[in-house]
Amino acid sequence: MACILHPLSAPLCHPLPKILDVAIADAMRRSLRIEAAEELAGKGGVRIRLVRIGRKKLPYYRIIIANSRSRRDGKFLEMVGHYNPMPDKNGTKDIQVNFERIKYWLSVGAQPSDTVRNILYKQGVMSPFSPETTPEA
């Protein structure tokens, strides 16, 4: 049962449709999973990496946030972009990244893989060096 509270009337309680119950439960599970991942991120347990979804001889990748122990094509926390390494007719590769979410996960402590680090460098999100290997000025 869900109750809708309105300041001018009595609470209106009615049973939610089963689909809505499932959607609410999924949203709650997802938010709990992301909160747990944020705690892991500070310990190096969350990675920003690629998941291959292309077919044979035509690679296409998603840029995802995942637990470092999950499989390459396994569960992930959030999809933050995609990367098509095959150049189009003009010779450009398709790279789209959600900069806000990438910066958030980097600030929380997520570690990008080497390939993702290079992609993010080309997009201007981060330096080509990890914080440990940044050259001294």
Side-chain angles (χ1 to χ4, degrees):
M1 291 275 275
C3 294
I4 300 172
L5 300 176
H6 191 274
L8 301 177
S9 67
L12 174 64
C13 295
H14 58 77
L16 289 174
K18 185 160 181 79
I19 294 173
L20 194 55
D21 274 344
V22 171
I24 291 170
D26 286 345
M28 289 177 64
R29 265 188 250 118
R30 179 179 162 83
S31 66
L32 289 174
R33 196 171 65 229
I34 289 177
E35 286 175 16
E38 289 170 352
E39 292 175 14
L40 275 177
K43 301 174 186 172
V46 176
R47 301 283 299 199
I48 305 172
R49 62 184 181 199
L50 299 175
V51 171
R52 183 179 169 131
I53 58 172
R55 63 185 177 93
K56 182 179 176 182
K57 306 256 185 201
L58 284 174
Y60 190 83
Y61 299 94
R62 287 182 179 162
I63 302 171
I64 60 147
I65 311 296
N67 186 339
S68 62
R69 294 182 180 188
S70 66
R71 298 175 310 191
R72 181 193 75 177
D73 295 336
K75 287 186 178 182
F76 58 90
L77 300 169
E78 184 176 358
M79 188 186 83
V80 292
H82 62 83
Y83 168 57
N84 184 3
M86 302 298 287
D88 61 3
K89 294 177 182 177
N90 300 328
T92 59
K93 298 178 180 181
D94 181 30
I95 303 172
Q96 290 190 359
V97 178
N98 184 343
F99 297 113
E100 294 172 7
R101 296 304 295 167
I102 289 280
K103 288 181 180 180
Y104 166 75
W105 281 105
L106 289 171
S107 71
V108 170
Q111 297 295 314
S113 67
D114 293 339
T115 307
V116 171
R117 183 182 310 281
N118 291 337
I119 291 170
L120 295 178
Y121 169 67
K122 290 176 184 175
Q123 293 295 308
V125 175
M126 64 183 306
S127 70
F129 304 104
S130 64
E132 297 83 29
T133 60
T134 304
E136 308 266 336

